[in-house]
């Protein structure tokens, strides 16, 4: 019975059939409830059968998002189903990475699909916003480029995503933060759009809300990651970051973190790991602004310094409670902040920091202290970290401090020279409190070689940066010597002392880092410096020792052997025939003792060594997984660049002819002989010879031309003689014609001269009459003037006599009155006082009359003086008139003399003057004189009228 029922039962439906049925129902259903039910069924299969669900229902699910976007429940179920398809069960047989790519392609092939997901961000419903963000993140991780393009072109797409950061619900806000971080690592256009949607302000608000750097959690890291994406290699966003006042906000965040860790309670132990990660993230963010050679680096450095970030970072770097990784990053940030900025390099050296060489103590010798810790100059503190801290765990700090000192002297000649001078003075005096790199290099202790090889290595790196490509610093360093000749000690130069320490390290088989440090210094110093090469060759045994070190040794010493070969190549390349070991001898030693093949093989193996070849990609520091042993740090970046740039030149150095010296320009002076210069001189000689041959050819051509021109000149001269004779004949004929013309002209001149003579005679007669008239008028005028002056003088004399008589009478009367008054006054002195007053009045009146008389006399005398002056003036006028008459007489005489001369000349010319002409001329003269006499009275009359007016 049971078997019959089982046989009649319908066939069992498989999962694939069910998914197909649900997919059909989803695509054909018209009611919302039917579609929702189909989606719920598909969601239950999505985890285990992602491929089947995606192949049958993916487009229906995406279409349902746009059709049912107003129904919250349906949208939630659709989004959950799609998210499940992106993360299926790993144990499912249909699970595959290709499913995510397929789903992402389906979404990104149509812009509307991404726009629909972004539209869901406008709703306030929690799951719609959260799931849409998660779905966008899944699509972005599968197809990043296409998704970025769709989001970029979607209307208000970036604005909606950035606005999610303001959501108070942490899940949505955090998901939006992660999506923006994943969306903006590479697209500069997206970075700019996000930044200009006020993303910086929102991120800083989020950091503060989460507890800042000290108390914030992993969200702070996400915020810093987003800021890093927006600012990395984006000059526009960096400029916008500065201009919107975000730099002071970073300064406040760092200052708060430093203040929190310097408090008595400090930071809780459980919060320190996350705090350190946050601080490291902020410092890494700052370094994005300080890329060496960047367009906005100088402006960023100045903004960070002015906002106080540099001071806070220094405090963080030298704080005893800061972890090693944060200290190292802080010191590296300080190095980036001052590198290549001369102003900040100088101001940086004026800062004070906590000393790490002593434990906290009470104030000592008045040194500046804070919280019982000695304060030292920042350069002193950095050298302490580099040269005195002997701890493997602090290696990154020492390396970062070394980088900071290198940035301090980077491309700043005066600072380099000052730093080197201080090091030399401290080494020479022997009592330098500051750790001295020169003393460390020249006088290393045996214990130091074994326990801390990186102290010598770091000192070598700093000294290399002081003298590298700095001729003046090289010259100063060459003046340093070891040993006192007065005590019988051998005096060796600095280069020889460094070479001696290098050879000692090689012979003792000490740590390679010691030898590498000395070799870096010597290679950088001797390159393109013949004087330094000669100093090195002053100790002849050094070359044999280096050759022996290059030949001997196993594979583990590839670096040292290669560097020794490089040093030998540099010495030979820049040696001269005047070197202590001549260039030819040095070439012979290298060829016989080392060999060309060995030399090239050692340098090639060095270039191919992973530590040198992959220097840029290898981590230069302590490996976090390394518990014992020293880190694999052998080279400085500057030396690696130098070695790679000059590799081809160094490997060919041994092939250069010993008789050919390499030209070097040091301090503006060229040293050595240049092959190019010789070739240039030869070319100049050839050019001169060619020019000389050309000049000789031109000379011959000119001589031929000169002969031709002389022949032409002779022919021209003969032709000219013939022409001259012809012209003379023509001239003779013209001369004959000219004589007849001259006779005609003479006749015309005679007639003109006769007319002119007549006119002159008439003019002379008129002038004589005028002179006589003027003379008569002048005599009459002078007579009248003399008579008038005499009359005026007589009148004045009479007036003077009259005034004198009046004065005498007045004086006599005055004397009589005075006598009478005196008698009366004497007789009646006590009786009549009024009479005395009347006598005084009369006396006063008499004085006034006397004064008036005196004034009248003076006035008369003035008139007399004036009359005399007028007389003198008129006498001068008469004299002037007489002089004019004399001048006229002289002119008349000249005219008479000229007339006589003209008559004589006419007679000499053969002209006859008849008596009738003389008579006519006399008559004309008489008429002219009559006319002049008529004119003279009129002139005299006018002159007389004028004189009357003047009087």
């Amino acid at each position: 019975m049971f078997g019959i029922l089982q046989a009649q039962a319908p066939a069992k439906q498989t999962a694939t059939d069910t998914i197909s049925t649900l997919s059909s129902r989803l695509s054909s259903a018209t009611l919302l409830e039917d579609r929702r039910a189909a989606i719920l069924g598909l969601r239950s299969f999505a985890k285990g059968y992602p491929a089947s669900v995606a192949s049958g229902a993916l487009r229906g699910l995406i279409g349902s998002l746009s059709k049912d976007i107003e129904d919250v429940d349906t949208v939630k179920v659709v989004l959950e189903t799609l998210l499940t398809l992106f993360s299926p069960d790993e144990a499912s047989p249909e699970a595959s990475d290709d499913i995510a790519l397929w789903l992402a392609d389906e979404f990104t092939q149509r812009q509307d699909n991404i726009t629909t997901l972004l539209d869901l961000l406008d709703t306030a419903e929690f799951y719609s916003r959260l799931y849409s963000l998660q779905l966008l993140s899944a699509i972005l991780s599968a197809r990043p480029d296409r998704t970025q393009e769709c989001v970029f072109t979607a209307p208000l797409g970036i604005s909606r995503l950035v606005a999610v950061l303001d959501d108070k619900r942490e899940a949505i806000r955090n998901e939006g933060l992660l999506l923006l971080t994943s969306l903006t690592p590479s697209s500069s256009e997206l970075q700019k759009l996000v930044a200009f949607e006020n993303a910086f302000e929102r991120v800083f608000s989020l950091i503060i809300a989460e507890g800042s750097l000290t108390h914030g959690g992993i969200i702070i890291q996400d915020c810093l990651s987003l800021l890093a994406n927006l600012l990395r290699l984006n000059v526009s966003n960096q400029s916008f970051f500065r201009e919107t006042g975000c730099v002071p906000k970073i300064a406040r965040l760092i200052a708060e973190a430093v203040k929190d860790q310097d408090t008595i309670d400090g930071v809780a132990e459980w919060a320190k790991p996350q705090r350190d990660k946050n601080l490291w993230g902020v410092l890494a963010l700052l370094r994005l602004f300080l890329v060496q050679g960047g367009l906005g680096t100088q402006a960023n450095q100045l903004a960070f310094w002015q906002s106080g970030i540099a001071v806070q970072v220094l405090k963080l770097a030298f704080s005893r409670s800061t972890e090693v990784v944060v200290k190292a990053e802080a010191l590296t940030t300080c190095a980036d902040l001052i590198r290549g900025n001369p102003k900040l390099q100088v101001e940086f050296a004026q800062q004070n920091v906590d000393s790490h060489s002593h434990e906290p103590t009470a104030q000592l010798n008045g040194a500046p202290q804070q919280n019982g810790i000695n304060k030292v100059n920042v350069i002193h503190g950095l050298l302490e970290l580099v040269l005195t801290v002997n701890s493997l765990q602090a290696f990154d700090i020492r390396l970062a401090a070394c980088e900071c000192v290198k940035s301090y002297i980077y491309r700043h000649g005066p600072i380099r020279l000052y730093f080197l001078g201080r090091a030399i003075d401290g080494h020479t005096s022997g009592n330098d409190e500051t750790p001295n790199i020169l003393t460390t290099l020249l006088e290393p202790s045996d214990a130091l070689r074994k326990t801390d090889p990186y102290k010598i290595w770091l000192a070598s790196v700093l000294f290399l940066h002081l003298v590298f490509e700095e001729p003046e610093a090289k010259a100063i360093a060459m003046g340093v010597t070891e040993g006192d000749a007065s005590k019988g000690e051998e005096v060796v130069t600095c280069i020889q002392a460094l070479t001696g320490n290098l050879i000692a390290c090689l012979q003792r088989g000490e740590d390679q880092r010691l030898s590498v440090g000395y070799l870096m210094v010597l290679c950088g110093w001797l390159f393109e410096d013949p004087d330094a090469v000669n100093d090195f060759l002053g100790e002849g045994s050094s070359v044999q020792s280096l050759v022996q070190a290059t030949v001997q040794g196993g594979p583990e010493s590839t670096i040292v052997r290669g560097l020794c070969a490089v040093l030998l190549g540099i010495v030979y390349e820049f040696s001269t025939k005047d070197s202590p070991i001549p260039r030819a001898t040095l070439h012979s030693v290298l060829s016989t003792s080392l060999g060309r093949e060995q030399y090239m093989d050692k340098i090639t193996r060095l270039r191919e060594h992973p530590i040198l070849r992959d220097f840029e990609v290898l981590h230069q520091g302590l490996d976090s997984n390394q518990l014992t042993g020293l880190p694999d740090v052998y080279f400085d970046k500057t030396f690696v660049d130098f070695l790679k740039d000059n590799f081809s030149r160094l490997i060919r150095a041994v092939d250069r002819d010993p008789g050919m010296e390499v030209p070097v320009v040091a301090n503006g002076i060229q040293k050595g002989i240049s092959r190019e210069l010789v070739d240039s001189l030869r070319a100049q000689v050839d050019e001169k010879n060619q020019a000389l041959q050309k000049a000789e050819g031109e000379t011959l051509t000119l001589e031929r031309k000169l002969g031709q021109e002389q022949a032409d000149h002779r022919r021209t001269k003969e032709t000219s003689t013939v022409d001259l004779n012809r012209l003379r004949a023509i001239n003779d004929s013209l001369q004959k014609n000219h004589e007849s013309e001259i006779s005609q002209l003479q006749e015309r001149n005679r007639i003109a001269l006769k007319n002119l003579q007549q006119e002159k005679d008439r003019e002379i007669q008129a002038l004589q009459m005028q002179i006589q008239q003027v003379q008569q008028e002048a005599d009459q005028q002078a007579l009248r003037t003399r008579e008038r002056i005499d009359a005026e003088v007589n009148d004045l004399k009479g007036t003077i006599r009259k005034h004198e008589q009046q004065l005498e009478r007045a004086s006599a009367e005055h004397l009589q009155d005075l006598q009478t008054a005196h008698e009366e006054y004497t007789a009646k002195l006590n009786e009549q006082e009024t009479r005395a007053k009347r006598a005084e009045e009369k006396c006063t009146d008499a004085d006034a009359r006397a004064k008036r008389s005196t004034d009248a006399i003076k006035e008369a005398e003035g008139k007399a003086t004036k009359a005399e002056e007028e007389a003198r003036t008129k006498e001068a006028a008469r004299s002037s008139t007489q002089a004019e008459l004399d001048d006229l007489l002289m002119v008349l005489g000249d005219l008479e003399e000229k007339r006589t001369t003209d008559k004589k000349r006419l007679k000499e010319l053969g002209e006859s003057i008849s008596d009738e002409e003389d008579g006519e001329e006399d008559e004309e003269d008489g008429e002219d004189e009559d006319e002049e006499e008529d004119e003279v009275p009129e002139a005299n009359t006018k002159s007389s009228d004028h004189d009357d007016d003047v009087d």
Side-chain angles (χ1 to χ4, degrees):
M1 187 65 182
F2 180 75
I4 296 173
L5 293 175
Q6 188 176 8
Q8 294 177 354
K12 186 177 180 180
Q13 192 174 19
T14 62
T16 304
D17 296 337
T18 305
I19 292 171
S20 177
T21 302
L22 293 174
S23 300
S24 300
R25 186 181 301 172
L26 175 62
S27 60
S28 61
T30 57
L31 296 178
L32 177 61
E33 290 77 6
D34 294 340
R35 289 196 296 273
R36 187 188 304 157
I39 295 170
L40 287 171
L42 291 170
R43 185 182 65 176
S44 62
F45 287 101
K47 198 73 173 176
Y49 301 93
S52 300
V53 174
S55 62
L58 179 58
R59 294 187 177 179
L61 292 171
I62 296 174
S64 179
L65 278 178
S66 57
K67 286 190 296 185
D68 304 327
I69 193 170
E70 300 296 333
D71 186 69
V72 176
D73 296 333
T74 303
V75 170
K76 176 185 175 184
V77 176
V78 172
L79 292 174
E80 287 176 348
T81 304
L82 292 172
L83 287 173
T84 304
L85 292 176
F86 273 101
S87 56
D89 188 359
E90 295 180 358
S92 172
E94 296 184 0
S96 174
D97 294 337
D98 295 336
I99 296 177
L101 297 176
W102 181 21
L103 295 171
D105 287 340
E106 189 64 32
F107 268 98
T108 56
Q109 283 177 359
R110 293 188 61 196
Q111 176 67 44
D112 294 341
N113 297 337
I114 301 299
T115 304
T116 301
L117 293 177
L118 293 172
D119 290 340
L120 292 174
L121 298 178
D122 291 336
T123 65
E125 208 279 327
F126 177 80
Y127 288 106
S128 297
R129 291 169 68 88
L130 178 63
Y131 289 159
S132 61
L133 291 171
Q134 292 176 347
L135 188 56
L136 285 170
S137 297
I139 298 170
L140 179 64
S141 62
R143 296 294 186 195
D145 295 338
R146 180 58 186 159
T147 307
Q148 290 176 1
E149 182 181 351
C150 291
V151 173
F152 182 77
T153 56
L156 300 178
I158 297 298
S159 300
R160 292 168 176 173
L161 289 176
V162 177
V164 173
L165 298 178
D166 295 332
D167 201 310
K168 302 301 181 182
R169 293 165 289 192
E170 291 186 3
I172 297 175
R173 182 196 64 195
N174 297 345
E175 195 64 40
L177 182 62
L178 293 175
L179 177 58
L180 286 172
T181 304
S182 302
L183 193 65
T184 56
S186 58
S187 175
S188 61
E189 297 301 325
L190 277 175
Q191 293 168 2
K192 293 178 183 178
L193 283 179
V194 173
F196 282 98
E197 290 295 337
N198 203 21
F200 293 140
E201 184 69 29
R202 287 168 167 164
V203 170
F204 278 112
S205 299
L206 184 55
I207 290 174
I208 295 173
E210 288 293 319
S212 296
L213 302 179
T214 304
H215 305 290
I218 194 172
I219 298 300
I220 304 298
Q221 285 182 259
D222 296 335
C223 291
L224 296 175
S225 298
L226 176 58
L227 290 177
N229 285 350
L230 297 179
L231 297 170
R232 184 180 291 109
L233 303 178
N234 196 316
V235 179
S236 175
N237 280 3
Q238 291 178 7
S239 177
F240 183 69
F241 187 89
R242 292 195 313 268
E243 294 169 356
T244 52
C246 295
V247 174
K249 295 179 181 179
I250 291 185
R252 285 195 293 271
L253 290 176
I254 299 175
E256 290 174 1
V258 173
K259 182 179 179 181
D260 290 341
Q261 78 174 8
D262 289 341
T263 57
I264 298 176
D265 297 334
V267 181
E269 291 297 327
W270 61 267
K272 284 185 177 180
Q274 186 61 48
R275 188 280 310 266
D276 293 339
K277 292 179 181 178
N278 295 340
L279 283 174
W280 188 93
V282 169
L283 295 173
L285 180 66
L286 292 177
R287 292 184 61 194
L288 295 177
F289 289 86
L290 307 172
V291 178
Q292 186 174 352
L295 293 177
T297 300
Q298 293 277 342
N300 296 334
Q301 288 174 332
L302 187 60
F304 288 170
W305 187 272
Q306 292 175 346
S307 64
I309 288 179
V311 176
Q312 299 300 328
V313 173
L314 274 178
K315 289 182 179 179
L316 192 64
F318 284 89
S319 175
R320 293 177 180 270
S321 57
T322 305
E323 293 298 323
V324 172
V325 64
V326 179
K327 278 188 177 182
E329 189 68 18
L331 289 170
T332 305
T333 304
C334 287
D336 293 341
L337 200 148
I338 65 173
R339 183 183 292 110
N341 194 317
K343 179 181 178 182
L344 299 187
Q345 287 170 322
V346 174
E347 294 185 6
F348 176 78
Q350 300 173 0
Q351 304 299 316
N352 291 324
V353 296
D354 296 341
S355 173
H356 278 253
S357 61
H358 305 285
E359 294 296 327
T361 57
Q363 183 169 348
L364 188 63
N365 297 329
Q369 294 185 348
Q370 184 176 358
N371 299 327
I373 299 176
N374 292 336
K375 289 284 185 180
V376 295
N377 182 266
V378 63
I379 306 302
H380 181 100
L382 290 171
L383 290 175
E384 284 182 349
L385 291 176
V386 173
L387 301 178
T388 62
V389 175
N390 184 10
S391 172
L392 182 62
Q393 287 72 26
F395 177 75
D396 288 344
I397 297 177
R398 300 176 70 183
L399 206 60
C402 179
E403 192 68 27
C404 204
V405 177
K406 284 159 43 178
S407 296
Y408 168 61
I409 63 177
Y410 178 75
R411 291 185 179 178
H412 200 303
I415 289 181
R416 281 191 183 186
L417 299 179
Y418 174 76
F419 191 97
L420 180 60
R422 286 290 303 270
I424 293 174
D425 294 341
H427 172 70
T428 305
S429 63
N431 56 1
D432 192 3
E433 297 180 358
T434 304
N436 197 298
I437 59 173
L438 205 55
T439 304
T440 303
L441 290 174
L442 297 179
E443 301 175 0
S445 62
D446 294 336
L448 179 64
R449 295 172 184 265
K450 297 178 181 179
T451 58
D452 188 14
Y454 272 113
K455 180 175 182 178
I456 295 177
W457 186 88
L458 290 168
S460 301
V461 170
L462 291 179
F463 192 76
L464 170 66
H465 281 264
L466 287 175
V467 300
F468 185 68
E469 295 181 348
E470 189 69 35
E472 190 173 354
K474 290 181 180 181
I476 294 173
M478 285 179 64
V480 179
T481 58
E482 290 290 300
D484 190 352
S486 62
K487 297 180 181 180
E489 298 177 353
E490 182 183 3
V491 178
V492 295
T493 63
C494 182
I495 291 178
Q496 294 171 358
L498 292 173
T499 306
N501 292 338
L502 167 64
I503 294 173
C505 293
L506 294 173
Q507 292 174 349
R508 296 175 185 176
E510 295 177 346
D511 193 292
Q512 294 187 57
R513 294 165 183 80
L514 299 174
S515 302
V516 170
Y518 284 117
L519 285 166
M520 286 194 301
V521 172
L522 291 172
C523 289
W525 192 344
L526 270 59
F527 189 80
E528 292 187 342
D529 192 345
D531 295 334
V533 170
N534 292 340
D535 191 348
F536 174 85
L537 292 174
E539 185 63 38
S541 61
S542 301
V543 176
Q544 291 294 345
S545 300
L546 288 174
V547 171
Q548 187 177 2
T550 305
V551 175
Q552 297 177 356
E556 69 281 355
S557 60
T558 302
I559 294 177
V560 174
R561 295 166 66 189
L563 288 177
C564 288
V566 169
L567 181 57
L568 288 172
I570 291 174
V571 170
Y572 173 70
E573 178 78 357
F574 300 103
S575 62
T576 64
K577 64 180 181 179
D578 299 324
S579 298
I581 300 178
R583 184 175 175 83
T585 305
L586 191 59
H587 184 268
S588 176
V589 171
L590 295 179
S591 300
T592 57
S593 301
L594 182 59
R596 177 180 180 276
E597 291 76 13
Q598 286 280 353
Y599 172 81
M600 299 182 70
D601 178 67
K602 298 300 182 292
I603 295 183
T604 303
R605 287 179 180 273
L606 172 65
R607 180 66 179 85
E608 294 174 352
H609 196 283
I611 293 179
L612 183 64
R613 181 191 64 204
D614 304 330
F615 179 84
E616 289 80 3
V617 297
L618 292 176
H619 172 64
Q620 300 300 315
L622 184 64
D623 193 351
S624 58
N625 299 325
Q626 186 176 356
L627 301 178
T628 58
L630 296 174
D632 292 331
V633 177
Y634 289 87
F635 296 109
D636 176 70
K637 183 180 183 301
T638 300
F639 182 77
V640 170
D641 294 339
F642 156 76
L643 208 57
K644 291 182 178 180
D645 291 342
N646 295 281
F647 171 75
S648 59
R649 179 178 184 179
L650 294 173
I651 203 171
R652 294 195 307 268
V654 74
D655 294 332
R656 200 178 298 277
D657 185 4
M660 185 62 208
E661 297 179 9
V662 177
V664 176
V665 178
N667 288 329
I669 301 174
Q670 180 169 336
K671 302 179 180 180
I673 300 175
S674 171
R675 181 158 40 196
E676 292 84 2
L677 179 60
V678 173
D679 295 338
S680 175
L681 292 175
R682 288 177 178 172
Q684 291 179 11
V685 170
D686 294 337
E687 291 176 0
K688 297 294 183 183
N689 291 333
Q690 294 175 2
L692 181 59
Q693 294 175 359
K694 183 179 179 181
E696 290 176 352
E698 291 176 354
T699 302
L700 294 175
T701 303
L702 291 174
E703 288 177 354
R704 288 194 295 269
K705 288 182 178 179
L706 179 61
Q708 182 67 30
E709 289 177 357
Q710 289 176 349
D712 295 339
H713 178 67
R714 285 193 297 270
R715 289 193 297 270
T716 304
K717 185 176 181 181
E718 294 173 355
T719 306
S720 299
T721 304
V722 175
D723 294 338
L724 181 61
N725 294 330
R726 186 174 64 255
L727 290 174
R728 283 178 179 174
I730 295 172
N731 187 36
D732 293 338
S733 63
L734 292 175
Q735 184 69 24
K736 294 177 181 179
N737 297 330
H738 183 62
E739 289 178 355
S740 61
E741 292 177 359
I742 289 174
S743 60
Q744 294 177 2
L745 290 173
Q746 288 178 348
E747 180 65 23
R748 294 175 185 174
N749 290 336
R750 188 181 64 79
I751 297 172
L753 182 61
K754 182 178 179 180
N755 296 333
L756 179 63
Q757 184 66 33
Q758 294 175 357
E759 291 177 1
K760 292 294 183 181
D761 292 339
R762 286 194 297 271
E763 290 177 359
I764 290 170
Q765 292 175 1
L767 287 173
Q768 287 176 347
M769 293 177 65
Q770 185 178 0
I771 289 169
Q772 292 175 359
Q773 185 178 358
V774 170
Q775 187 173 6
Q776 293 175 359
E777 181 180 0
D779 292 337
Q780 294 176 0
Q781 181 68 25
L783 181 61
R784 287 196 299 271
T785 302
R786 188 179 295 108
E787 291 174 355
R788 187 168 58 254
I789 291 171
D790 293 338
E792 290 177 355
V793 169
N794 294 329
D795 293 339
L796 289 173
K797 288 181 179 180
T799 304
I800 290 171
R801 285 194 299 271
K802 181 179 178 180
H803 284 296
E804 288 177 351
Q805 293 175 0
Q806 292 178 356
L807 179 61
E808 289 175 356
R809 285 195 302 272
S811 298
E813 291 177 358
H814 178 62
L815 290 175
Q816 186 176 0
D817 291 339
L818 286 176
Q819 185 175 4
T820 304
H822 180 67
E823 290 175 357
E824 290 178 357
Y825 178 76
T826 303
K828 300 178 181 180
L829 180 61
N830 297 323
E831 296 176 357
Q832 295 183 3
E833 188 176 357
T834 56
R835 291 181 180 180
K837 293 180 179 180
R838 189 165 51 249
E840 290 177 359
E841 292 176 357
K842 290 180 179 180
C843 181
T844 301
D845 188 21
D847 290 338
R849 287 196 301 271
K851 185 176 181 180
R852 284 194 298 272
S853 299
T854 303
D855 293 340
I857 292 170
K858 290 181 179 180
E859 183 178 358
E861 291 177 351
K863 289 181 178 181
T865 302
K866 183 177 180 182
E868 291 177 356
E869 290 178 354
E870 290 179 353
R872 285 195 296 271
T873 301
K874 291 181 178 181
E875 183 64 23
R878 189 188 67 77
S879 299
S880 176
T881 304
Q882 186 64 37
E884 290 179 357
L885 291 173
D886 294 339
D887 291 340
L888 290 173
L889 291 174
M890 290 177 66
V891 171
L892 182 61
D894 291 339
L895 291 174
E896 288 288 347
E897 184 179 356
K898 185 177 179 181
R899 180 180 179 186
T900 305
T901 302
D902 291 339
K903 288 180 178 181
K904 290 179 179 181
R905 190 178 298 170
L906 291 173
K907 290 178 179 181
E908 289 176 356
L909 292 174
E911 297 292 334
S912 59
I913 300 174
S914 61
D915 296 335
E916 295 177 357
E917 291 178 354
D918 292 339
E920 291 176 359
E921 290 176 0
D922 293 339
E923 291 177 0
E924 291 176 358
D925 293 340
E927 293 175 359
D928 292 338
E929 289 176 359
D930 294 339
E931 291 175 359
E932 290 177 359
E933 288 176 357
D934 294 338
E935 292 175 357
V936 167
E938 293 178 2
N940 291 335
T941 306
K942 291 180 180 179
S943 176
S944 144
D945 296 340
H946 178 67
D947 292 338
D948 294 340
D949 293 338
V950 171
D951 295 338

